[in-house]
Amino acid sequence: MSAEVPRWRRKAYSIAAMRDLARAALPRPVFDFADGGAEDERTLRRNEAAFDDIALLPKPLDGAAARDLSVTLFGSTLKLPVIVGPTGLAGLFWPDGERCAARAAAKAGTAFCLSHGSVCTLEQLAETGAAPRWMQIFVYRDRGFTRELTERAAKAGYDALVLTIDNQMLGNRERDIRNGFSIPPRFGLSGLAGMALKAKWLWRMRRELPRVTFGNYARPGETADLKALAGRMASLLDPAMSWPDVAELRKLWRGPLILKGVLHPDEARRAMAEGIDGIIVSNHGGRQLDGAAASLEALPGVVATVEGRIPVLLDGGVRRGSDVVKALALGAAACLVGRPQLWGLAIAGEAGVARMLEIYAQEIDRVMGLCGVSNIAGINGNLLLKRKTA
Ligand SMILES: Cc1cc2nc3c(=O)[nH]c(=O)nc-3n(C[C@H](O)[C@H](O)[C@H](O)COP(=O)(O)O)c2cc1C
């Protein structure tokens, strides 16, 4: 029996173990592109460390013989409270990476959010039929392009639109500078030498690499000129983005509209006034503003402001089932994961992402069982150790 289990799968026993396997599989610049954060990576570290500061207070005698991990969000029932979040260039980690991840999410019964910066186009992703599928966009300098992407997402049957607000300027990612990594990827001599050592990845990606680009930005019929696209991307973002843009998008998109990158309670309050349907408390996985609060630290303030009127989700540093349970106990409706899906892709494509989601599901189930909680609604602040305040 055990002989049938692939070797990688036996080694992929936790999310941290999957990170180690991905590090071994990927050229350094590619691994670091996903793994790294902005500047001194304080926020990146803080995201994970924030979970250490919270402790669970289990009640085993409540008896949870069977656990139901399902949650209902924006009209869809998900089998687990973990959603595959938007990560640009997933197709750099495995051929057709985005579609592999979307299929794995759908098979696991959860939602998948496509990044604006996917290698495949949003229409190609939709062809998989994976659902629920969400589309992530930015507010662009060219508001016509924002409208165009929104309309394309509606036409392609996306279930929700996610507006990311914390990427209005590009974060200062120093690992990428050190490695000479650029978007789209161009590898220098040392990068190429590193790649040669990762023969399996290189062989797998040999036909894909020349095509790795931002699929959604190449206009139909246009040949993808990588340099032109890279320039266009930097000039596309607009730090002048503001609430009237959110209001405009609200008029344009009829389905659930979710704001991603909210940390401040004031923004959560205004988001509700603008008719936003959901909030993702996030600091972009520590890739943008280094020094920003950990997502988990910011969560209670946003939850208190929202008062249960719209779902509040969280991402950033979620690496264990117990992390998910802690976020839910603090009022999150579900968590998203960024890097873990890329590690899954790097190891085994769709099967790797499936394994990643399976690990979260197994760990959440175990934590719930050990805490004496039989369904997601039963996870609340009563499960947390209250620290004495001085
Ligand atoms: C390689 C990479 C690319 C990302 N690209 C996007 C993106 O295009 N849009 C977006 O809203 N967030 C993007 N993110 C941020 C993730 O959606 C998410 O907020 C973050 O990764 C969560 O933290 P975690 O990686 O600790 O789970 C990206 C993250 C990574 C690691």
Side-chain angles (χ1 to χ4, degrees):
M1 183 71 191
S2 71
E4 289 166 22
V5 178
R7 230 161 74 93
W8 70 264
R9 214 170 176 288
R10 271 182 279 129
K11 291 185 175 176
Y13 54 85
S14 71
I15 301 301
M18 291 188 79
R19 175 175 181 264
D20 289 342
L21 292 172
R23 193 209 296 265
L26 293 169
R28 181 71 187 264
V30 178
F31 176 77
D32 274 351
F33 162 62
D35 199 60
E39 296 180 350
D40 301 310
E41 304 190 338
R42 291 188 174 128
T43 297
L44 172 66
R45 285 192 298 277
R46 202 172 172 112
N47 271 348
E48 289 191 27
F51 289 97
D52 297 344
D53 292 338
I54 304 226
L56 296 165
L57 271 190
K59 293 201 287 176
L61 283 173
D62 278 359
R67 280 80 50 198
D68 177 2
L69 274 59
S70 65
V71 282
T72 300
L73 262 186
F74 310 117
S76 304
T77 299
L78 310 181
K79 282 196 185 140
L80 75 162
V82 177
I83 292 163
V84 178
T87 54
L89 297 183
L92 181 59
F93 294 79
W94 192 270
D96 212 13
E98 289 88 7
R99 301 209 297 178
C100 291
R103 285 195 192 98
K107 285 180 191 160
T110 192
F112 170 83
C113 183
L114 185 69
S115 157
H116 78 101
S118 51
V119 173
C120 74
T121 65
L122 66 94
E123 289 83 6
Q124 287 166 335
L125 190 288
E127 281 167 17
T128 61
R133 56 175 178 271
W134 303 353
M135 180 67 209
Q136 176 265 314
I137 63 160
F138 296 135
V139 170
Y140 303 97
R141 252 176 232 273
D142 172 1
R143 301 300 197 264
F145 188 58
T146 309
R147 235 182 351 261
E148 187 182 311
L149 269 189
T150 305
E151 283 161 1
R152 281 171 61 188
K155 201 162 160 222
Y158 280 76
D159 300 288
L161 192 71
V162 175
L163 173 64
T164 295
I165 63 168
D166 58 6
N167 201 100
Q168 73 281 43
M169 299 172 82
L170 270 189
N172 182 23
R173 312 205 182 127
E174 295 186 356
R175 287 203 218 183
D176 291 348
I177 297 172
R178 275 198 299 279
N179 293 328
F181 182 87
S182 61
I183 300 176
R186 284 185 297 267
F187 299 101
L189 266 185
S190 62
L192 281 171
M195 280 207 291
L197 298 173
K198 309 291 175 175
K200 273 194 193 164
W201 177 86
L202 201 55
W203 179 249
R204 195 180 294 129
M205 295 296 296
R206 67 195 181 282
R207 288 202 193 88
E208 306 287 323
L209 274 180
R211 290 201 293 256
V212 168
T213 183
F214 296 113
N216 293 315
Y217 293 80
R219 297 259 154 72
E222 205 176 70
T223 41
D225 172 350
L226 299 190
K227 271 196 192 139
L229 279 175
R232 197 149 111 207
M233 170 63 76
S235 64
L236 274 169
L237 302 171
D238 191 357
M241 160 198 83
S242 186
W243 288 105
D245 297 306
V246 174
E248 215 28 59
L249 212 55
R250 180 63 291 181
K251 276 193 238 150
L252 199 63
W253 177 263
R254 292 172 196 283
L257 180 60
I258 303 166
L259 275 197
K260 175 173 181 283
V262 173
L263 294 174
H264 205 294
D266 290 354
E267 294 221 312
R269 190 173 300 111
R270 179 74 187 260
M272 284 191 295
E274 299 289 346
I276 293 298
D277 301 290
I279 284 173
I280 303 174
V281 174
S282 169
N283 50 38
H284 219 100
R287 299 166 72 77
Q288 287 291 101
L289 174 63
D290 197 30
S295 304
L296 195 73
E297 293 173 306
L299 178 67
V302 173
V303 166
T305 303
V306 166
E307 290 180 319
R309 278 176 284 168
I310 56 174
V312 176
L313 290 80
L314 170 137
D315 75 17
V318 176
R319 300 290 178 264
R320 286 283 183 191
S322 58
D323 296 343
V324 177
V325 172
K326 288 173 184 177
L328 268 52
L330 286 173
C335 293
L336 292 88
V337 289
R339 294 177 181 85
Q341 71 172 296
L342 300 175
W343 299 333
L345 280 176
I347 300 166
E350 180 182 332
V353 179
R355 176 67 185 140
M356 178 276 288
L357 289 168
E358 183 182 54
I359 289 171
Y360 281 109
Q362 286 169 345
E363 290 187 356
I364 295 168
D365 179 71
R366 187 182 303 114
V367 171
M368 286 170 68
L370 289 170
C371 286
V373 177
S374 52
N375 56 42
I376 296 294
I379 301 176
N380 55 44
N382 193 30
L383 258 191
L384 300 177
L385 174 69
K386 308 272 181 302
R387 287 184 198 279
K388 286 196 194 88
T389 43

